[in-house]
Amino acid sequence: MNQMIIKKCVGKDVFERMNYLLQLSNLALRQPGKDAASSLYSHLLVNVSQKAVQRMEPEVKRSICKRCHTLMIPGINSQIRIRKKRLRWKCNKCSNSKLFKTDPSHKLWIDNKEAIVETLRY
Amino acid sequence: MTLTSSDFSATSKDSGKVYLFNLLKENLPRRTQSELNTLTDSTFVFTTNARKKGKVVRTKKQFLTRKERKKLNILKLPKQDWKYDELCEMRELWKQYMRNNLNLYPKIPTWEDPNWTNFNITLAKSEFIGAELTVIRSKNVNQVGMRGTVVLETKATFQIVTPKNELKILVKKPSVFTFTLDDMKFTIFGKYAIIRPSERSIKKIKTLLLPDL
């Protein structure tokens, strides 16, 4: 290893925990009869990120139901349709739906080149 | 008593009262006529002076209450249909996560290290779902020696699945737990772990606590 002083990453343990919880929730959903456990883990994930003020990536955030906090995986747990030129995610648990734009020119901030200033490896 | 302002706008205040009394005398039934004299001192509030009810705009609520969570079966875990062997993937994942989180390799920290307190704090803030817990000591004698993987953690309890495929709920306060990671052994004093799992990652943790012997 180089003898550089490594900067300490802020909130690394929280990110580690959130990542682990997402994996757990994904794992529990694939096994039969554990959807309650899965939604409890993802509920904890949302709560942890809210308490510690460490944000999720938009794609991860969008895959969690806004109402009942279950992880939505299309085909297993949720439905994705295009209705009225808009993308609709429907949660099968609480039947709440989210709408997204389908406009190809619409871009998230994180996809821009200016958004990434520096990448650090820990 | 409702009167519109158009009936009343031209006249002054006193003449308005007289008008109102006359109107009441004409219209009220006879048995209530005697009560009219008691009304002389009272002030009248007309509908125009009264506040208009604003339209209550209801926003669509996005969160679920505890009752609704219970209805959808996502508040509590089911008691049956647990298999210890199915959870082995979860245990492997947890070991990976802990090794990453504690920065164990290439060097395992000892108590002489300068960042020993840091190590302890990250340990206390980490996740316990997926760990293999055993109860060493407890005031509840039946629970001593119980072993299983943690499936859920709440403020006061650990919920574990034993090798006999049962879901057991262990109370944190009167008991002491251990878990092993590779060749290290950790103990948790349940008395000091009574925090909501979501709040644990931001809570300040005291470095020195008296163990309950």
Side-chain angles (χ1 to χ4, degrees):
Chain A
M1 291 285 287
N2 299 338
Q3 285 195 337
M4 274 167 56
I5 302 162
I6 302 168
K7 245 196 249 170
K8 219 201 160 194
C9 180
V10 180
K12 192 207 168 193
D13 51 345
V14 180
F15 281 130
E16 204 85 57
R17 196 180 172 195
M18 280 157 63
N19 183 29
Y20 173 63
L21 280 169
L22 185 69
Q23 283 175 343
L24 269 191
S25 179
N26 240 319
L27 188 79
L29 202 62
R30 311 288 161 127
Q31 292 167 347
K34 281 182 189 166
D35 47 342
S38 164
S39 70
L40 277 167
Y41 299 150
S42 52
H43 182 54
L44 184 60
L45 164 66
V46 172
N47 278 348
V48 167
S49 87
Q50 275 177 3
K51 281 279 169 189
V53 206
Q54 302 290 350
R55 291 177 186 119
M56 290 179 271
E57 208 186 344
E59 233 165 76
V60 178
K61 202 191 98 184
R62 285 176 174 198
S63 68
I64 293 173
C65 176
K66 208 173 179 181
R67 189 143 179 264
C68 64
H69 292 173
T70 49
L71 190 72
M72 297 193 289
I73 296 174
I76 298 175
N77 202 2
S78 67
Q79 216 182 33
I80 300 185
R81 293 292 128 91
I82 295 176
R83 291 285 134 80
K84 292 181 185 174
K85 293 182 183 178
R86 272 185 286 176
L87 198 68
R88 198 186 65 184
W89 287 60
K90 193 182 172 194
C91 173
N92 283 359
K93 197 94 194 173
C94 63
S95 66
N96 189 38
S97 56
K98 282 175 162 186
L99 292 172
F100 295 112
K101 280 184 178 178
T102 49
D103 183 13
S105 63
H106 180 256
K107 246 186 181 180
L108 295 179
W109 165 249
I110 207 164
D111 294 336
N112 285 348
K113 278 186 180 177
E114 306 143 38
I116 302 165
V117 177
E118 193 183 5
T119 51
L120 300 168
R121 289 192 175 276
Y122 289 99
Chain B
M1 287 192 298
T2 54
L3 268 179
T4 52
S5 59
S6 57
D7 293 344
F8 194 50
S9 56
T11 54
S12 68
K13 219 176 185 180
D14 283 336
S15 57
K17 255 186 189 179
V18 175
Y19 171 77
L20 192 88
F21 269 108
N22 291 335
L23 188 104
L24 285 177
K25 262 182 195 173
E26 283 170 24
N27 291 331
L28 284 178
R30 256 187 205 164
R31 53 197 152 85
T32 53
Q33 291 277 340
S34 57
E35 287 177 29
L36 266 180
N37 298 325
T38 58
L39 279 175
T40 48
D41 296 333
S42 56
T43 54
F44 299 99
V45 179
F46 295 102
T47 48
T48 46
N49 289 347
R51 254 189 213 167
K52 271 187 182 177
K53 271 190 182 177
K55 268 191 182 176
V56 182
V57 182
R58 274 197 180 177
T59 50
K60 197 184 171 191
K61 67 170 182 180
Q62 283 285 359
F63 61 90
L64 286 178
T65 56
R66 214 176 146 78
K67 233 180 206 174
E68 286 164 332
R69 237 157 223 296
K70 207 172 185 180
K71 231 177 199 178
L72 290 171
N73 290 328
I74 49 172
L75 183 67
K76 283 174 186 173
L77 290 174
K79 288 233 164 182
Q80 276 107 32
D81 301 338
W82 287 99
K83 271 165 194 169
Y84 186 75
D85 300 338
E86 276 182 3
L87 297 174
C88 82
E89 211 169 337
M90 197 161 131
R91 267 169 264 150
E92 286 301 314
L93 257 180
W94 183 78
K95 276 175 194 168
Q96 249 178 55
Y97 154 75
M98 277 308 249
R99 277 172 209 146
N100 244 329
N101 191 23
L102 297 177
N103 248 330
L104 280 184
Y105 299 101
K107 193 181 141 201
I108 294 170
T110 54
W111 63 274
E112 287 163 330
D113 272 345
N115 59 354
W116 176 245
T117 53
N118 259 340
F119 174 76
N120 275 337
I121 287 171
T122 46
L123 176 69
K125 285 182 178 181
S126 55
E127 187 63 59
F128 290 120
I129 293 175
E132 184 91 355
L133 280 192
T134 47
V135 184
I136 331 173
R137 273 190 305 226
S138 177
K139 279 179 186 173
N140 188 349
V141 187
N142 291 338
Q143 287 178 354
V144 176
M146 214 172 255
R147 188 173 66 91
T149 50
V150 182
V151 197
L152 188 70
E153 189 196 348
T154 60
K155 191 184 174 185
T157 59
F158 280 120
Q159 306 190 2
I160 62 168
V161 173
T162 57
K164 287 177 186 173
N165 303 336
E166 289 168 315
L167 184 79
K168 294 279 180 186
I169 299 175
L170 309 176
V171 182
K172 279 178 190 175
K173 201 183 175 187
S175 35
V176 181
F177 308 95
T178 55
F179 63 89
T180 53
L181 219 187
D182 300 339
D183 51 351
M184 296 174 81
K185 196 176 182 183
F186 301 97
T187 54
I188 306 169
F189 289 89
K191 193 183 164 191
Y192 297 111
I194 308 176
I195 322 167
R196 240 181 251 178
S198 60
E199 275 164 30
R200 199 187 321 114
S201 56
I202 38 155
K203 217 219 165 189
K204 276 187 184 175
I205 291 164
K206 289 176 195 169
T207 47
L208 192 69
L209 291 169
L210 292 174
D212 201 25
L213 295 176

